[in-house]
């Protein structure tokens, strides 16, 4: 039988304990790089979705059908003169509506162009805003020329490994937006 002093001097399992500690730290670090790389991918995909949404909104029919009549005027002296900044109210719509005379079909046209770039996107995350910035003229047949802003709100980064290891579940993605000057606001997209 071995003496108790012999156990204190024995280093037979030290390498395995050191390897376990080092491997745990190395594995956590590696999985962290993978997760944050994926978060960066999500950020870029959401930004691209916003850019595509803004471009689509600039050339398609407005989500708020009230915008088409915003340049109408009963004052014949005003007809043909430039519209000033703030000459019509700002129309801000989400997938749930929230704006005057909301057109779900027009919203879906924009939303469906965005989803292939960021599949986790939900209609409630998308906000489309039309603002008067002094373009167009009173009495313009197609309505005013708005500045269109598409933004994403209420999204979170999705983590696979670190959510279980370190509890990184709900890190909110910063709100992102893209602004484009409206064009003819055609009724169909090619």
């Amino acid at each position: 039988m071995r003496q108790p002093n012999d156990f204190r001097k024995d280093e037979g399992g030290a390498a395995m304990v050191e390897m376990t500690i080092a491997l745990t730290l190395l594995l956590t670090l590696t999985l962290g790089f993978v997760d944050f790389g994926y978060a960066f991918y999500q950020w870029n995909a959401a930004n691209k979705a916003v850019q595509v949404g803004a471009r689509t909104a600039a050339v398609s029919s407005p989500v708020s059908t009230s915008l088409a009549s915003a340049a109408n005027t009963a004052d014949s002296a005003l007809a043909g003169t430039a519209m000033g900044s703030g000459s019509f109210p700002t129309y801000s719509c989400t997938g749930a509506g929230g704006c005057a005379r909301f057109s779900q079909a027009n919203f879906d046209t924009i939303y469906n162009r965005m989803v292939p770039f960021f599949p986790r996107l939900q209609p409630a995350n998308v906000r489309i805003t039309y603002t008067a910035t002094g373009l167009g003229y009173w009495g313009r047949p197609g309505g005013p020329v708005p500045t269109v802003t598409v933004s994403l709100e209420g999204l979170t980064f999705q983590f696979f490994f670190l959510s279980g290891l370190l509890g990184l579940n709900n890190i909110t993605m910063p709100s992102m937006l893209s602004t484009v000057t409206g064009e003819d606001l055609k009724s169909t997209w090619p």
Side-chain angles (χ1 to χ4, degrees):
M1 185 159 144
R2 295 174 75 176
Q3 296 296 327
N5 290 340
D6 291 343
F7 285 115
R8 284 184 272 160
K9 294 177 183 175
D10 188 16
E11 296 181 13
M16 189 167 69
V17 171
E18 291 170 1
M19 172 73 169
T20 303
I21 293 170
L23 192 59
T24 302
L25 293 174
L26 183 63
L27 188 61
T28 302
L29 187 63
T30 302
L31 295 177
F33 282 143
V34 170
D35 264 356
F36 280 104
Y38 183 59
F40 186 66
Y41 165 77
Q42 292 174 70
W43 171 261
N44 283 332
N47 265 325
K48 186 62 177 176
V50 166
Q51 292 168 4
V52 167
R55 177 66 185 140
T56 305
V59 296
S60 58
S61 297
V63 174
S64 174
T65 56
S66 296
L67 186 62
S69 61
N72 293 345
T73 180
D75 186 359
S76 60
L78 204 56
T81 60
M83 294 184 78
S85 178
S87 56
F88 63 86
T90 297
Y91 299 100
S92 185
C93 310
T94 64
C99 62
R101 295 175 44 201
F102 178 76
S103 169
Q104 187 67 47
N106 294 349
F107 179 85
D108 288 343
T109 299
I110 299 164
Y111 173 74
N112 290 334
R113 290 270 179 170
M114 297 171 69
V115 169
F117 294 95
F118 194 64
R120 288 193 307 120
L121 195 59
Q122 297 297 316
N125 301 124
V126 179
R127 177 174 297 281
I128 302 169
T129 306
Y130 299 93
T131 309
T133 54
L135 300 174
Y137 56 90
W138 288 103
R140 184 172 184 268
V145 180
T147 296
V148 181
T149 302
V150 175
S151 60
L152 297 182
E153 303 164 346
L155 292 171
T156 58
F157 287 110
Q158 192 175 54
F159 293 103
F160 292 113
F161 305 112
L162 296 180
S163 63
L165 289 174
L166 301 176
L168 296 175
N169 293 351
N170 298 321
I171 295 180
T172 303
M173 195 179 288
S175 179
M176 56 193 74
L177 58 91
S178 183
T179 302
V180 178
T181 301
E183 294 182 14
D184 281 340
L185 296 177
K186 299 183 190 289
S187 60
T188 59
W189 174 263

